Amino acid sequence: MDIRRWVVGGLVALCAAGCGQLGVTPVAPAPGSPTRVELARLLAGVRVVPDRPHPGGYDRGCQAGQGCVFGQAWTDDNDGPGGHDGCDTRNNVLAKQLVGVSFRPGTRDCVVVGGMLNDPYTGKRIPFKKAAANDVQIDHVYPLAAAWDLGAAGWPPERRIRFANDLDFTLLATDGRTNEAKGDKTPAEWLPPARANHCFYAGKYLTVAAQYQLPLTEADSTALQGVARTCP
């Protein structure tokens, strides 16, 4: 199965209806969501571990004396898509995901100053303005802290930096408050506020796990199986 097919297609139209949870009224999944069969295939291809280990050593900060274990935030110095193009990762994500994008003059179409986000977690249309940039934030779908605990601690630095800046798999622009509420939570602890977007989120999370050979905990696997059962 081409795991990119629906990931790319679903980023610009995620504000309709979506997946229901068991025991509540079903809703139609947001456009671009994977099917139940596609999620089942992804689930079958991702390793499951009993619990999340805690190897220690996770330090995201990059100030003097800090670990900087995933590199400088939004660095252009990475070997993934968009790397070394002269634009930082955050602006690359905004340029890719927003519609009606406008750029600051003189920045070679690097600095995004406006656009509209079809939010993949709330299903809302959120205007983006550079002056209120925190209203739209960039989420690591598979959180960095969870990735560290479940395998990235053993990766070489270059792979960790690519993971943290991967435009194709790891990152989504989303509502700022929703991103802050999600934090480092994984599917057993958090699902998007809009039920319509559960199927999309499940597929996105599993796609990242498959791409980077990161496992699921048993609790996360159970949560994603529950989502999959609600998808068409």
Side-chain angles (χ1 to χ4, degrees):
M1 179 185 68
D2 183 356
I3 59 179
R4 294 174 184 257
R5 176 171 59 81
W6 54 265
V7 171
V8 175
L11 288 177
V12 294
L14 291 169
C15 55
C19 303
Q21 295 297 305
L22 298 178
V24 296
T25 303
V27 291
S33 297
T35 66
R36 183 183 310 184
V37 171
E38 288 173 319
L39 287 179
R41 289 174 181 169
L42 283 168
L43 280 161
V46 177
R47 182 167 54 94
V48 177
V49 297
D51 298 296
R52 176 174 167 176
H54 295 282
Y58 176 71
D59 188 352
R60 180 75 174 104
C62 290
Q63 299 299 318
Q66 296 181 312
C68 200
V69 297
F70 284 95
Q72 293 285 344
W74 313 133
T75 178
D76 185 44
D77 188 13
N78 72 86
D79 64 1
H84 304 292
D85 67 351
C87 305
D88 67 77
T89 301
R90 174 180 165 82
N91 278 294
N92 278 340
V93 175
L94 293 172
K96 179 178 180 179
Q97 196 171 332
L98 300 182
V99 295
V101 178
S102 58
F103 298 93
R104 179 178 293 164
T107 64
R108 298 177 294 107
D109 287 352
C110 268
V111 178
V112 176
V113 296
M116 184 67 68
L117 173 69
N118 293 316
D119 183 26
Y121 290 160
T122 68
K124 299 176 181 178
R125 287 176 58 83
I126 301 173
F128 172 80
K129 296 181 180 179
K130 183 69 173 176
N134 206 46
D135 290 349
V136 174
Q137 299 177 14
I138 310 301
D139 180 46
H140 292 90
V141 178
Y142 196 120
L144 294 181
W148 176 266
D149 289 347
L150 288 160
W155 294 350
E158 295 79 8
R159 182 172 175 82
R160 293 201 296 266
I161 292 170
R162 181 188 176 102
F163 177 85
N165 294 276
D166 193 325
L167 301 180
D168 287 347
F169 291 97
T170 315
L171 303 174
L172 284 178
T174 188
D175 170 64
R177 290 184 179 179
T178 301
N179 183 53
E180 291 168 3
K182 176 178 181 280
D184 290 328
K185 298 181 179 71
T186 58
E189 306 165 298
W190 185 91
L191 290 172
R195 286 166 43 214
N197 300 66
H198 286 188
C199 298
F200 176 83
Y201 167 72
K204 186 72 173 171
Y205 193 95
L206 287 165
T207 299
V208 178
Q211 176 69 15
Y212 282 90
Q213 298 180 323
L214 288 165
L216 304 174
T217 64
E218 289 183 353
D220 288 334
S221 178
T222 297
L224 292 172
Q225 289 174 42
V227 171
R229 285 193 292 269
T230 71
C231 302

